[in-house]
Coordinates of all heavy atoms in Angstrom, one line a residue:
S74 N 95.7 164.9 80.8 CA 96.1 166.3 80.6 C 97.5 166.6 80.9 O 98.2 165.8 81.5 CB 95.2 167.2 81.4 OG 95.7 167.2 82.8
A75 N 98.0 167.7 80.4 CA 99.4 168.1 80.6 C 99.6 168.2 82.1 O 100.7 168.0 82.6 CB 99.7 169.5 79.9
E76 N 98.6 168.6 82.8 CA 98.7 168.7 84.3 C 98.6 167.4 85.0 O 99.0 167.3 86.2 CB 97.6 169.7 84.8 CG 97.8 171.1 84.4 CD 97.4 171.4 82.9 OE1 96.6 170.6 82.3 OE2 98.0 172.3 82.3
N77 N 98.0 166.4 84.4 CA 97.9 165.1 85.1 C 99.3 164.4 85.4 O 99.3 163.5 86.2 CB 97.0 164.1 84.3 CG 95.5 164.5 84.2 OD1 94.8 164.2 83.3 ND2 95.1 165.1 85.3
W78 N 100.3 164.9 84.7 CA 101.7 164.4 85.1 C 102.0 164.7 86.5 O 102.9 164.0 87.1 CB 102.7 165.1 84.2 CG 102.7 164.6 82.7 CD1 102.3 165.4 81.7 CD2 103.0 163.4 82.2 NE1 102.4 164.7 80.5 CE2 102.8 163.4 80.8 CE3 103.4 162.1 82.7 CZ2 103.0 162.4 79.9 CZ3 103.7 161.1 81.9 CH2 103.4 161.2 80.5
E79 N 101.4 165.7 87.2 CA 101.6 166.0 88.6 C 101.1 164.9 89.5 O 101.4 165.0 90.7 CB 101.0 167.3 88.9 CG 101.5 168.5 88.1 CD 103.0 168.7 88.1 OE1 103.6 168.5 89.2 OE2 103.6 169.0 87.1
R80 N 100.3 164.0 89.1 CA 99.7 163.0 90.0 C 100.8 162.1 90.5 O 101.9 162.0 89.9 CB 98.6 162.2 89.2 CG 97.4 163.1 88.9 CD 96.3 162.3 88.4 NE 95.2 163.2 88.1 CZ 93.9 162.8 87.9 NH1 93.6 161.5 87.9 NH2 93.0 163.7 87.6
P81 N 100.5 161.3 91.6 CA 101.5 160.4 92.1 C 101.9 159.4 91.0 O 101.1 159.0 90.1 CB 100.7 159.6 93.2 CG 99.6 160.5 93.6 CD 99.2 161.3 92.3
S82 N 103.2 159.1 91.0 CA 103.8 158.3 89.9 C 103.1 156.9 89.7 O 103.0 156.4 88.6 CB 105.3 158.2 90.0 OG 105.6 157.5 91.1
M83 N 102.6 156.4 90.8 CA 101.9 155.1 90.8 C 100.7 155.2 89.8 O 100.4 154.3 89.1 CB 101.4 154.7 92.1 CG 102.5 154.2 93.1 SD 102.4 152.4 93.2 CE 100.9 152.2 94.1
E84 N 100.0 156.3 90.0 CA 98.8 156.5 89.2 C 99.1 156.8 87.8 O 98.5 156.2 86.8 CB 97.9 157.6 89.8 CG 96.6 157.8 89.0 CD 95.5 158.6 89.7 OE1 95.6 158.8 90.9 OE2 94.6 159.1 89.0
V85 N 100.1 157.6 87.6 CA 100.5 158.0 86.2 C 101.0 156.7 85.5 O 100.6 156.4 84.3 CB 101.7 159.0 86.2 CG1 102.2 159.2 84.8 CG2 101.1 160.4 86.7
D86 N 101.8 155.9 86.2 CA 102.3 154.6 85.5 C 101.1 153.7 85.2 O 101.1 153.1 84.1 CB 103.3 153.9 86.5 CG 104.6 154.6 86.7 OD1 104.8 155.6 85.9 OD2 105.3 154.3 87.6
F87 N 100.2 153.6 86.1 CA 99.0 152.8 85.8 C 98.3 153.2 84.6 O 97.9 152.4 83.7 CB 98.1 152.7 87.0 CG 96.9 151.8 86.8 CD1 97.0 150.5 87.2 CD2 95.7 152.3 86.3 CE1 95.9 149.6 87.0 CE2 94.6 151.4 86.1 CZ 94.7 150.1 86.4
L88 N 98.1 154.5 84.5 CA 97.3 155.1 83.3 C 98.1 154.8 82.1 O 97.5 154.4 81.0 CB 97.1 156.6 83.5 CG 96.0 156.9 84.5 CD1 96.0 158.4 84.9 CD2 94.6 156.6 83.9
M89 N 99.4 155.0 82.1 CA 100.2 154.8 80.9 C 100.1 153.3 80.4 O 100.0 153.0 79.2 CB 101.7 155.1 81.1 CG 101.9 156.6 81.4 SD 101.3 157.6 80.0 CE 100.6 159.0 80.9
R90 N 100.1 152.4 81.4 CA 100.0 151.0 81.1 C 98.6 150.7 80.5 O 98.4 149.9 79.6 CB 100.3 150.1 82.3 CG 101.8 150.0 82.6 CD 102.2 148.8 83.5 NE 101.4 148.8 84.7 CZ 101.7 149.4 85.8 NH1 102.9 150.1 85.8 NH2 101.0 149.4 86.9
L91 N 97.6 151.4 81.1 CA 96.2 151.2 80.7 C 96.0 151.6 79.2 O 95.4 151.0 78.4 CB 95.3 151.9 81.6 CG 93.8 151.6 81.5 CD1 93.5 150.2 82.1 CD2 93.0 152.7 82.3
F92 N 96.6 152.8 78.9 CA 96.5 153.3 77.5 C 97.2 152.3 76.6 O 96.7 152.0 75.5 CB 97.2 154.7 77.4 CG 96.6 155.8 78.2 CD1 97.4 156.8 78.8 CD2 95.3 155.8 78.5 CE1 96.9 157.8 79.6 CE2 94.7 156.8 79.3 CZ 95.5 157.8 79.8
H93 N 98.3 151.8 77.0 CA 99.1 150.8 76.2 C 98.2 149.6 75.9 O 98.1 149.2 74.8 CB 100.3 150.4 77.0 CG 101.3 149.6 76.2 ND1 102.7 149.9 76.2 CD2 101.2 148.6 75.4 CE1 103.3 149.1 75.4 NE2 102.4 148.2 74.9
R94 N 97.6 149.1 77.0 CA 96.8 147.9 76.9 C 95.6 148.2 76.0 O 95.2 147.4 75.2 CB 96.3 147.4 78.2 CG 97.0 146.1 78.6 CD 96.3 145.4 79.8 NE 95.6 146.2 80.8 CZ 96.2 146.7 81.9 NH1 97.5 146.6 82.0 NH2 95.5 147.4 82.7
Y95 N 95.0 149.4 76.2 CA 93.8 149.7 75.4 C 94.2 149.7 73.9 O 93.5 149.1 73.1 CB 93.4 151.2 75.7 CG 92.3 151.7 74.7 CD1 91.0 151.3 74.9 CD2 92.6 152.5 73.7 CE1 90.0 151.7 74.0 CE2 91.7 152.9 72.8 CZ 90.4 152.5 72.9 OH 89.4 153.0 72.0
L96 N 95.3 150.2 73.5 CA 95.7 150.3 72.1 C 95.9 148.9 71.6 O 95.5 148.5 70.5 CB 96.9 151.2 71.9 CG 96.7 152.7 72.2 CD1 98.0 153.4 72.2 CD2 95.7 153.3 71.1

Side-chain angles (χ1 to χ4, degrees):
S74 76
E76 291 74 26
N77 289 150
W78 291 111
E79 301 303 320
R80 294 190 179 194
S82 62
M83 285 255 293
E84 181 166 342
V85 171
D86 291 349
F87 182 88
L88 284 165
M89 295 302 141
R90 286 199 304 274
L91 194 71
F92 299 147
H93 192 133
R94 250 195 331 273
Y95 171 80
L96 293 169

